[in-house]
Amino acid sequence: MKRRNFLVAGAAAFLAGCSKIGKTDAFAAVVDTAESWHRGLHRALGFGRIQMAPEFARSQISPFFRGNGTQQVDSDAYRASAASGFADWRLVVNGLVTRPLALSMDAIRALPQRTQITRHDCVEGWSAIGQWTGPQLSALLEMARPIDAARYIVFHCADTLGGAPYYESCDMDDAFHPQTIVAHLLNGGPLPERNGAPLRLRIERQLGYKHAKYLTRIEAVASLDEFYGGHGGYWEDRGYQWYAGI
Ligand SMILES: Nc1nc2c(c(=O)[nH]1)N[C@H]1C(S)=C(S)[C@@H](COP(=O)(O)O)O[C@H]1N2
Ligand SMILES: [Mo]
């Protein structure tokens, strides 16, 4: 209860501070901060402490991080991009956002980075520990600024599996979770193709199939109904749980 009062008082003071600022160039940036701070506050009040997935020591990293599902992408566009070191790869962020983005690999690498050593658990009965590096998804979303109607994030991928496009989705809590990152490094090196080069999602509180590889586009949406089978993911459309919490 004490903590709640503190947070509410803090938010009130912070927002009051904002109202004193005029319509300067700094205004938009300050409002951005207030919005994300407010979102964090909401989470703190609604759900208590943010649950973090366990992180591991360097000595625990698996010597080989196997690939699963698609391990080679069978498309001319992907093969051409891979041949050029993904120099022309763009990660699009669009849908219900104020400012759509198309980020190059250099732009992704120039953002603040998070590195985490986590365990990947696949429902097929294997696990591996790896060190992943990349910007937090929250950083990308704070640049693109989802509008209020956005309730989910859909992840589009470059590959098809058994002829159907792979895709995934999550809610805003997982999208803004500190350990949800768009990874471009595995164990300090560029992602191998089998592990999702050049970009793959790490969404550490959920099972392996949620970690979309070969990311091409991140879309803010109001509903998952209109996508493919309507269950929010490739494996979900084939009967798996949408919320695959560990
Ligand atoms: N685009 C894409 N993402 C995917 C898959 C896939 O086939 N295609 N397989 C999923 C499954 S079931 C698992 S367990 C992990 C495997 O990640 P890895 O290949 O790096 O081990 O990726 C997930 N993300
Ligand atoms: Mo999996």
Side-chain angles (χ1 to χ4, degrees), residues 11-22 27 30-35:
F14 189 83
L15 293 171
C18 287
S19 68
K20 287 189 195 126
I21 295 167
F27 187 69
V30 171
V31 170
D32 273 357
T33 309
E35 274 174 4

Side-chain angles (χ1 to χ4, degrees), residues 190-218:
L191 291 188
E193 185 169 342
R194 67 171 182 279
N195 302 114
L199 294 171
R200 70 98 51 84
L201 185 68
R202 294 300 309 171
I203 175 164
E204 303 292 356
R205 295 181 306 177
Q206 297 204 48
L207 288 167
Y209 60 87
K210 301 295 293 187
H211 300 235
K213 304 192 285 188
Y214 318 110
L215 287 175
T216 56
R217 191 160 67 89
I218 291 175

